[in-house]
Amino acid sequence: MQDGTQRDLPSLADRDWLKAPSTQKVLAALASAGHEARVVGGAVRNALLGVAVVDIDIATPAAPESVMQVMQARLLYPSDAADLLPRAAIR
């Protein structure tokens, strides 16, 4: 906050969208490959505001090529990335 006081934010750890098997598979795949990953963007904003989460953005410092290799190795990503890119928010 601007006045220097600190405000506690609610935990998002128990949210259904974060505990969903598909979300956990992606986060676990990145973690098992040694990549840090965080849910960011609109999902966090919406959850904090009490608005429905309709998509999830995951950020990682890993190179895109590394992320694709990890996902392909775990069958979580199609072999032709162009098939998925127009339908999902992959950044």
Side-chain angles (χ1 to χ4, degrees):
M1 298 180 72
Q2 288 183 347
D3 64 4
T5 61
Q6 188 172 9
R7 180 172 53 161
D8 290 332
L9 295 175
S11 172
L12 303 180
D14 64 342
R15 303 299 171 108
D16 289 340
W17 55 267
L18 188 56
K19 295 189 307 186
S22 56
T23 304
Q24 288 300 307
K25 283 180 186 178
V26 172
L27 293 172
L30 290 167
S32 71
H35 300 307
E36 183 177 318
R38 299 184 189 273
V39 175
V40 298
V44 175
R45 178 201 61 226
N46 287 7
L48 291 173
L49 292 173
V51 177
V53 173
V54 295
D55 71 300
I56 300 171
D57 297 320
I58 297 174
T60 179
E65 298 81 10
S66 295
V67 173
M68 290 175 64
Q69 287 175 347
V70 169
M71 296 303 134
Q72 287 174 344
R74 287 158 182 82
L75 303 177
L76 296 175
Y77 198 76
S79 59
D80 182 5
D83 286 344
L84 186 58
L85 290 174
R87 297 192 311 263
I90 298 177
R91 297 172 183 60

